[in-house]
């Protein structure tokens, strides 16, 4: 490739791998890292030695993600293991989620920032209860793209008939629960077939490899147009006696959670409702033309407006609802059950509000996917609930905006995060 040729950057892709226990999630990620040549030589040398100690003839690539000692001893993944790699056209963050039901909260945490999920299925076992559960959870937390990877094809003689049977069974399940954007791929993580290279054993499959699918997947915030949301994190008022020009500097610092902002745009500050126009957008102290999603910028406004941490700056014609009661799907993360009598703290973007539970509509049985009545929530439970708030929050539905449609629940007594919610 000549120096003048430009490589298009497809943007960062966060994706999740999940499936039943021992479906090969960790091996799949290890194979991706190995075949894309993103493993350091010393890392490869270390896992080669560990594999030899275990009496294995080949390198155990799952060791690249199973970082916890307890996981290595049990041969399973307990916590969420994150790995980073890049190709010539894209950067990736991979989350390897646990397969066990008792680690549902770990999977929900990993899925909350993912834009694509790889659901692994063991070709010998087909669609299992955990397959359905993980697929439903992935859809529930708003992951827009699913890839169903039918793994261990080498153990069923690379049978096309087996692949087609599993595909049909999964599509029947997906239609019942409303999962739509699905891609299917047969592969062998152990041998590397259809991961990065096509291999020689799946000639009947003429679709893209797994890496091809990942390279072409839409980046976050591209599925639909999102409104501008800027929760204020800090108000910058420099105190520099040697530089009188800074005396009038008043910058509102934060991260653009969605949308974009330009100089001259009319904005409104919530909750006070004051309006102004953007005088400057700065990134690292340098003026830029536009602030876009996931950039941490400083906004300077044309008017002196009362604004502080916890407020939200929005475009004047795109203001969200200010609510003092929310309905949400909540995953309970704490070993201490949800207590109706207690007051909790809800943290939404940079704003906090005290909250009381006003009702549990139903709990989701993560195995049968049925809605069941409930009067309490225990760890790993997922339910549709309502909270009454002491202070207004400026929210969007989670399906419209994953940043301003999400919140966490905090136990004020110990400052622990006890729940995570998605606003309906």
């Amino acid at each position: 490739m000549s120096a003048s040729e430009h490589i298009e950057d497809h943007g960062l892709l966060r994706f999740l791998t999940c499936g039943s226990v021992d479906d090969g999630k960790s091996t799949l990620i290890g194979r991706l890292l190995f075949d894309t040549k993103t493993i350091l030589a010393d890392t490869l040398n270390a896992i080669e030695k560990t594999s030899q100690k275990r009496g294995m003839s080949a390198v155990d690539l799952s060791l690249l993600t199973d970082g916890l000692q307890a996981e290595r001893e049990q041969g399973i993944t307990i916590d969420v293991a994150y790995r980073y790699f890049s190709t010539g056209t894209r950067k990736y963050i991979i989350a390897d989620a646990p397969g066990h039901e008792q680690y549902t909260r770990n999977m929900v945490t990993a899925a909350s920032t993912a834009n694509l999920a790889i659901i692994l299925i063991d070709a010998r076992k087909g669609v299992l209860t955990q397959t359905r559960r993980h697929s439903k959870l992935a859809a529930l937390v708003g992951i827009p793209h699913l890839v169903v990877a039918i793994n261990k094809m080498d153990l069923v003689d690379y049978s096309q008939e087996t692949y087609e049977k599993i595909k049909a069974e999964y599509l029947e399940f997906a239609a019942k629960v409303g999962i739509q954007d699905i891609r299917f791929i047969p592969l062998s993580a152990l041998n590397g077939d259809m991961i990065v290279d096509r291999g020689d054993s799946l000639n009947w499959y003429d679709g893209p490899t797994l890496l091809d699918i990942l390279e072409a997947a839409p980046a976050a915030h591209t599925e639909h147009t999102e409104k501008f949301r800027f929760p204020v994190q800090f108000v910058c008022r420099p105190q520099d006696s040697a530089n009188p020009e800074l005396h009038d500097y008043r910058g509102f610092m934060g991260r653009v959670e969605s949308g974009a902002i330009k100089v001259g745009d009319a904005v409104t500050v919530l909750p006070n409702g004051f309006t102004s126009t953007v005088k400057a957008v700065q990134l690292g102290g340098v003026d830029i033309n536009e602030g876009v999603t996931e950039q941490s910028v400083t906004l300077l406004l044309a008017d002196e407006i009362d604004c502080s941490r916890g407020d939200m700056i929005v475009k004047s014609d795109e203001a969200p609802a200010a609510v003092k009661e929310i309905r949400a799907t909540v995953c309970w993360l704490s070993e201490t059950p949800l207590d109706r009598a207690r007051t909790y703290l809800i943290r939404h973007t940079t704003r906090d509000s005290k909250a009381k539970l006003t009702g549990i509509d139903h709990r989701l049985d993560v195995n049968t996917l049925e809605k069941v009545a409930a009067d309490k929530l225990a760890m790993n439970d997922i339910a549709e609930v309502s909270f009454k708030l002491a202070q207004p929050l400026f929210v969007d539905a989670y399906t419209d905006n994953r940043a301003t449609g999400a919140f966490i629940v905090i136990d004020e007594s110990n400052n622990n995060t006890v729940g995570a919610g998605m606003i309906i």
Side-chain angles (χ1 to χ4, degrees):
M1 185 180 69
S2 67
S4 61
E5 288 184 84
H6 174 68
I7 299 176
E8 182 182 357
D9 185 353
H10 291 183
L12 173 68
L13 180 69
R14 298 179 177 93
F15 70 92
L16 168 77
T17 60
C18 50
S20 296
V21 177
D22 205 28
D23 276 350
K25 301 182 296 297
S26 299
T27 302
L28 172 69
I29 296 174
R31 174 61 66 181
L32 259 177
L33 297 173
F34 184 79
D35 286 359
T36 54
K37 297 178 175 58
T38 52
I39 303 175
L40 296 176
D42 57 346
T43 303
L44 181 59
N45 185 52
I47 66 171
E48 284 176 343
K49 289 181 178 179
T50 304
S51 301
Q52 289 170 4
K53 288 179 181 178
R54 290 184 172 186
M56 297 179 175
S57 58
V59 176
D60 184 2
L61 295 173
S62 70
L63 296 176
L64 286 167
T65 53
D66 283 345
L68 299 179
Q69 186 65 32
E71 295 174 0
R72 294 191 178 193
E73 291 172 355
Q74 298 177 49
I76 62 171
T77 302
I78 294 175
D79 207 347
V80 180
Y82 291 95
R83 287 296 178 269
Y84 311 86
F85 77 102
S86 63
T87 61
T89 57
R90 181 164 238 171
K91 293 182 176 69
Y92 296 92
I93 300 176
I94 318 168
D96 181 20
H100 292 272
E101 178 185 346
Q102 62 264 40
Y103 301 118
T104 296
R105 60 178 183 169
N106 302 68
M107 189 208 154
V108 169
T109 301
S112 64
T113 57
N115 207 55
L116 179 145
I118 300 174
I119 309 291
L120 263 78
I121 296 177
D122 188 326
R124 300 168 301 171
K125 300 175 183 177
V127 178
L128 301 177
T129 298
Q130 288 197 73
T131 310
R132 298 184 182 94
R133 174 163 54 85
H134 285 155
S135 300
K136 176 63 177 178
L137 289 174
L140 189 68
V141 299
I143 298 179
H145 311 290
L146 295 187
V147 176
V148 178
I150 301 173
N151 191 26
K152 302 191 178 183
M153 290 297 296
D154 52 303
L155 299 182
V156 294
D157 296 325
Y158 296 97
S159 167
Q160 183 177 4
E161 182 182 353
T162 300
Y163 167 77
E164 296 293 348
K165 181 180 177 181
I166 295 172
K167 179 179 177 180
E169 183 181 0
Y170 188 92
L171 284 171
E172 183 180 356
F173 152 75
K176 291 179 181 178
V177 297
I179 299 173
Q180 297 179 338
D181 189 344
I182 313 168
R183 301 284 295 271
F184 292 87
I185 180 171
L187 51 84
S188 169
L190 184 66
N191 296 334
D193 298 299
M194 290 299 162
I195 307 291
V196 174
D197 303 314
R198 300 191 66 84
D200 300 321
S201 303
L202 289 164
N203 294 329
W204 49 264
Y205 170 76
D206 58 3
T209 65
L210 180 62
L211 184 62
D212 289 338
I213 293 174
L214 297 177
E215 290 280 84
H221 306 285
T222 60
E223 278 77 28
H224 58 267
T225 302
E226 295 179 339
K227 297 175 181 178
F228 175 68
R229 300 289 184 257
F230 186 79
V232 177
Q233 294 184 19
F234 182 72
V235 180
C236 182
R237 296 295 302 271
Q239 301 297 318
D240 187 353
S241 58
N243 191 348
E245 293 182 1
L246 293 178
H247 285 187
D248 296 327
Y249 186 97
R250 185 178 174 86
F252 302 108
M253 307 178 77
R255 170 180 143 118
V256 180
E257 294 294 352
S258 61
I261 192 73
K262 294 180 179 179
V263 174
D265 284 343
V267 294
T268 299
V269 177
L270 301 174
N272 56 39
F274 295 150
T275 60
S276 185
T277 56
V278 177
K279 182 170 66 174
V281 182
Q282 297 180 342
L283 180 63
V286 178
D287 287 354
I288 58 175
N289 294 326
E290 181 180 37
V292 297
T293 302
E294 297 190 359
Q295 276 187 333
S296 293
V297 301
T298 302
L299 300 185
L300 280 70
L301 304 184
D303 303 284
E304 286 283 340
I305 284 182
D306 181 21
C307 181
S308 58
R309 176 180 172 83
D311 292 352
M312 183 180 290
I313 299 176
V314 300
K315 289 185 178 178
S316 295
D317 59 348
E318 296 180 351
V323 300
K324 293 193 72 173
E325 188 167 347
I326 54 174
R327 284 181 62 239
T329 300
V330 167
C331 178
W332 197 249
L333 310 176
S334 174
E335 295 177 0
T336 304
L338 173 64
D339 187 346
R340 288 175 175 268
R342 294 190 58 184
T343 298
Y344 292 94
L345 194 68
I346 283 184
R347 178 160 296 161
H348 173 265
T349 62
T350 60
R351 190 173 179 84
D352 293 346
S353 174
K354 290 187 177 183
K356 291 273 288 187
L357 179 72
T358 56
I360 302 175
D361 185 64
H362 63 262
R363 180 177 64 82
L364 177 70
D365 186 315
V366 294
N367 290 320
T368 65
L369 304 180
E370 294 179 351
K371 298 176 181 179
V372 296
D375 58 3
K376 64 179 182 179
L377 295 185
M379 186 173 69
N380 291 315
D381 279 349
I382 294 176
E384 192 172 302
V385 305
S386 298
F387 284 105
K388 188 173 182 179
L389 308 173
Q391 301 293 330
L393 298 179
F394 319 115
V395 306
D396 296 289
Y398 187 79
T399 52
D400 295 332
N401 192 314
R402 291 173 73 180
T404 53
F407 62 88
I408 59 173
V409 184
I410 296 171
D411 185 335
E412 288 188 291
S413 66
N414 53 24
N415 210 35
N416 287 342
T417 301
V418 293
M422 297 156 285
I423 296 167
I424 299 171

